[in-house]
Amino acid sequence: MVKRKTALKLRQAHRYLGLFIGIQFIMWTISGMYFSWTDLDEIHGDHFKKEFVENPSFSNLQWPGKILPVTPVSSLELKDIGGEAFYLINGNSLINPRTGENRQGITQEEALKIAKKHMREDLQVAGIKLIKETGDHHEYRSGALPAYVISYKEPTDLKAYVSVQDATFRSVRHRDWRWFDFLWMTHTMDYEGRDDFNNLVLRIFSLMGLITVLSGFVLWYISSPSVRKLQKRF
């Protein structure tokens, strides 16, 4: 049998461990419930986008090899910028396929046209601005910069991001996505990048949680009348 003093210390350790990590346990539970009851398509903002995006057809375009005879091409994409065709070469150069002109990014008006092409027609633009840098906790922290952020009137927290350099419609951010992002941060305990499951804080709390559960089993074992009766029999 475990000595009374040892059992008391074990109970104290179990109590304080439970108190210390209890809040994190609650956050794990709440975030897990939220993830299991939400539609990821809605979190990504798909219900704010057009179901089908129509791409225009272009003709009389020069072949990239003719426009850039000495430039090595590792990737090539045909981009529609406000109804005009452009080649996106190597993911960073926008080339006019008719003139061979290399343009430096897109304008606000062109960004609005790109966003309009992807977003629902009933959404009204409230404003647009250019961002050149983002912090670790910004909702566009992993996107290509600089970028235009287009805000919409209803819902007031809806924003769309279009990158300047490659004229790509990047992402949609809204209230539910921000709640998801916050809860995901508390779930992974990665308070910088959100997605690192190997961070030290998560490892420590996971280990402490395991110790708390195991100490609870030990306390049940040493204090259970049924266990004592079985021990007396054998």
Side-chain angles (χ1 to χ4, degrees), residues 58-70:
F58 300 103
S59 58
N60 300 321
L61 306 181
Q62 295 191 59
W63 183 245
K66 185 177 180 180
I67 302 174
L68 305 169
V70 297

Side-chain angles (χ1 to χ4, degrees), residues 42 44-50 118-123 154-155 157-158 172-174:
E42 291 188 3
H44 293 155
D46 291 350
H47 56 301
F48 293 117
K49 303 176 188 176
K50 292 179 180 176
H118 289 83
M119 300 293 282
R120 288 190 341 232
E121 294 289 348
D122 60 307
L123 297 173
E154 294 294 338
D157 56 355
L158 177 63
V172 174
R173 297 291 182 256
H174 56 107

Side-chain angles (χ1 to χ4, degrees), residues 21-221:
I21 65 175
I23 296 177
Q24 182 57 44
F25 274 21
I26 292 174
M27 294 308 301
W28 277 337
T29 303
I30 292 174
S31 57
M33 291 173 63
Y34 184 82
F35 300 151
S36 64
W37 288 347
T38 52
D39 185 344
L40 278 180
D41 290 335
E42 291 188 3
I43 295 300
H44 293 155
D46 291 350
H47 56 301
F48 293 117
K49 303 176 188 176
K50 292 179 180 176
E51 188 173 355
F52 299 103
V53 177
E54 296 184 6
N55 291 308
S57 298
F58 300 103
S59 58
N60 300 321
L61 306 181
Q62 295 191 59
W63 183 245
K66 185 177 180 180
I67 302 174
L68 305 169
V70 297
T71 301
V73 177
S74 60
S75 66
L76 171 66
E77 183 180 355
L78 182 64
K79 306 288 291 188
D80 168 31
I81 304 179
E84 294 292 330
F86 285 87
Y87 288 136
L88 178 62
I89 306 295
N90 301 333
N92 54 30
S93 298
L94 287 172
I95 307 297
N96 189 313
R98 294 188 176 90
T99 65
E101 177 190 3
N102 187 347
R103 62 174 300 173
Q104 303 299 316
I106 60 174
T107 65
Q108 283 192 359
E109 291 73 18
E110 290 169 333
L112 288 170
K113 290 179 180 179
I114 293 172
K116 183 178 180 180
K117 177 181 175 181
H118 289 83
M119 300 293 282
R120 288 190 341 232
E121 294 289 348
D122 60 307
L123 297 173
Q124 297 182 1
V125 174
I128 180 173
K129 66 177 181 179
L130 179 68
I131 56 173
K132 296 183 178 180
E133 59 182 7
T134 59
D136 293 336
H137 299 280
H138 195 278
E139 62 185 25
Y140 187 68
R141 56 186 172 272
S142 60
L145 292 170
Y148 287 109
V149 51
I150 298 102
S151 302
Y152 294 86
K153 293 181 179 179
E154 294 294 338
T156 55
D157 56 355
L158 177 63
K159 295 179 181 179
Y161 290 86
V162 179
S163 61
V164 173
Q165 188 174 20
D166 58 9
T168 299
F169 182 86
R170 288 288 177 176
S171 58
V172 174
R173 297 291 182 256
H174 56 107
R175 182 192 59 191
D176 290 345
W177 182 95
R178 296 181 185 100
W179 273 113
F180 187 97
D181 186 55
F182 172 76
L183 291 173
W184 182 252
M185 176 184 68
T186 64
H187 198 79
T188 63
M189 301 192 75
D190 177 12
Y191 299 106
E192 294 182 1
R194 304 293 198 273
D195 298 323
D196 182 11
F197 275 93
N198 297 317
N199 67 81
L200 182 60
V201 178
L202 180 59
R203 289 176 177 177
I204 291 174
F205 270 77
S206 299
L207 181 60
M208 292 174 64
L210 178 61
I211 293 173
T212 303
V213 173
L214 292 177
S215 64
F217 284 132
V218 172
L219 284 172
W220 170 83
Y221 177 80

